[in-house]
Amino acid sequence: MKGANNWLVIQHENLRDKMNTVEIRAFPIEMYKVLQIAGWLGSGGGAKAVIAEGQVTRNGEEELRKRCKCTMGDVIAFAGQEVTLVLEESE
Protein backbone atom coordinates (compact mmCIF):
# COMPACT_ATOMS: atom_id res chain seq x y z
CA MET A 1 0.00 0.00 0.00
CA LYS A 2 1.73 3.15 -1.18
CA GLY A 3 1.84 5.84 1.47
CA ALA A 4 0.71 3.48 4.21
CA ASN A 5 2.40 3.28 7.59
CA ASN A 6 5.22 0.82 8.08
CA TRP A 7 2.95 -1.66 9.82
CA LEU A 8 0.20 -3.98 8.71
CA VAL A 9 1.24 -6.30 6.02
CA ILE A 10 -0.44 -9.67 6.32
CA GLN A 11 -2.32 -11.67 8.89
CA HIS A 12 -2.23 -15.38 8.26
CA GLU A 13 -2.39 -18.72 9.97
CA ASN A 14 0.78 -20.74 10.10
CA LEU A 15 -0.71 -24.19 9.57
CA ARG A 16 2.44 -26.00 10.66
CA ASP A 17 2.47 -24.39 14.10
CA LYS A 18 -1.27 -23.65 14.37
CA MET A 19 -0.31 -20.11 15.29
CA ASN A 20 -1.74 -16.86 13.98
CA THR A 21 0.90 -14.33 13.02
CA VAL A 22 0.83 -10.71 11.98
CA GLU A 23 3.67 -9.58 9.73
CA ILE A 24 5.00 -6.11 10.48
CA ARG A 25 7.35 -4.05 8.28
CA ALA A 26 9.04 -2.15 11.10
CA PHE A 27 9.31 -2.50 14.86
CA PRO A 28 8.47 -1.30 17.43
CA ILE A 29 4.71 -0.90 16.99
CA GLU A 30 2.24 0.48 19.51
CA MET A 31 -0.09 -1.97 21.23
CA TYR A 32 -3.35 -0.33 20.14
CA LYS A 33 -2.25 -0.57 16.49
CA VAL A 34 -1.67 -4.32 16.84
CA LEU A 35 -5.30 -4.77 17.89
CA GLN A 36 -6.43 -2.90 14.79
CA ILE A 37 -4.07 -4.79 12.47
CA ALA A 38 -5.21 -8.13 13.85
CA GLY A 39 -8.76 -7.09 12.94
CA TRP A 40 -9.99 -7.35 16.49
CA LEU A 41 -11.11 -3.71 16.72
CA GLY A 42 -11.88 -1.21 14.02
CA SER A 43 -10.85 1.99 15.73
CA GLY A 44 -7.92 3.24 17.74
CA GLY A 45 -10.28 4.55 20.40
CA GLY A 46 -11.89 1.14 20.85
CA ALA A 47 -8.48 -0.52 21.01
CA LYS A 48 -7.24 1.94 23.63
CA ALA A 49 -10.38 1.38 25.71
CA VAL A 50 -10.03 -2.42 25.91
CA ILE A 51 -6.34 -2.08 26.75
CA ALA A 52 -7.14 0.36 29.57
CA GLU A 53 -9.76 -2.09 30.87
CA GLY A 54 -7.13 -4.84 31.18
CA GLN A 55 -8.58 -7.06 28.44
CA VAL A 56 -5.29 -7.45 26.54
CA THR A 57 -2.18 -9.46 27.38
CA ARG A 58 1.34 -9.22 26.01
CA ASN A 59 3.49 -12.31 26.43
CA GLY A 60 1.02 -13.70 28.96
CA GLU A 61 0.88 -10.61 31.18
CA GLU A 62 -1.86 -7.98 31.41
CA GLU A 63 -0.88 -4.86 29.49
CA LEU A 64 -2.48 -1.54 30.41
CA ARG A 65 -0.24 0.78 28.38
CA LYS A 66 -2.04 1.77 25.16
CA ARG A 67 1.16 2.90 23.50
CA CYS A 68 3.28 0.05 24.81
CA LYS A 69 6.00 -0.65 22.23
CA CYS A 70 5.58 -4.19 20.92
CA THR A 71 8.38 -5.95 19.10
CA MET A 72 9.10 -9.05 17.05
CA GLY A 73 8.10 -12.26 18.81
CA ASP A 74 5.61 -10.64 21.18
CA VAL A 75 2.43 -12.65 21.68
CA ILE A 76 -0.66 -10.45 21.94
CA ALA A 77 -3.97 -11.89 23.16
CA PHE A 78 -7.48 -10.45 23.28
CA ALA A 79 -10.95 -12.01 23.57
CA GLY A 80 -9.69 -15.58 23.39
CA GLN A 81 -7.57 -14.97 20.30
CA GLU A 82 -3.80 -14.72 20.05
CA VAL A 83 -1.28 -13.48 17.48
CA THR A 84 2.51 -13.48 17.34
CA LEU A 85 4.26 -10.51 15.78
CA VAL A 86 6.80 -11.36 13.09
CA LEU A 87 8.93 -9.35 10.69
CA GLU A 88 7.69 -9.12 7.13
CA GLU A 89 9.65 -11.41 4.86
CA SER A 90 11.36 -9.60 1.98
CA GLU A 91 10.76 -10.95 -1.48
Side-chain angles (χ1 to χ4, degrees), residues 42-63:
S43 72
K48 290 174 183 179
V50 298
I51 294 167
E53 292 169 2
Q55 297 182 39
V56 179
T57 63
R58 175 177 170 226
N59 301 324
E61 300 199 11
E62 183 181 81
E63 183 58 70

Side-chain angles (χ1 to χ4, degrees):
M1 295 173 59
K2 189 141 180 109
N5 291 323
N6 284 335
W7 45 269
L8 180 53
V9 180
I10 301 169
Q11 179 178 350
H12 61 87
E13 183 176 351
N14 181 331
L15 297 176
R16 187 185 81 233
D17 298 329
K18 298 290 185 203
M19 171 179 66
N20 285 325
T21 60
V22 174
E23 292 185 0
I24 307 294
R25 288 186 183 142
F27 288 101
I29 183 170
E30 295 170 326
M31 173 68 76
Y32 79 94
K33 292 178 183 176
V34 173
L35 298 183
Q36 290 179 278
I37 292 167
W40 294 334
L41 293 155
S43 72
K48 290 174 183 179
V50 298
I51 294 167
E53 292 169 2
Q55 297 182 39
V56 179
T57 63
R58 175 177 170 226
N59 301 324
E61 300 199 11
E62 183 181 81
E63 183 58 70
L64 298 172
R65 298 173 295 157
K66 301 165 205 129
R67 294 186 177 269
C68 164
K69 305 294 188 218
C70 299
T71 191
M72 186 168 56
D74 280 352
V75 177
I76 310 302
F78 169 69
Q81 300 179 58
E82 187 175 274
V83 294
T84 301
L85 303 181
V86 297
L87 187 62
E88 174 188 23
E89 292 183 22
S90 302
E91 293 182 18

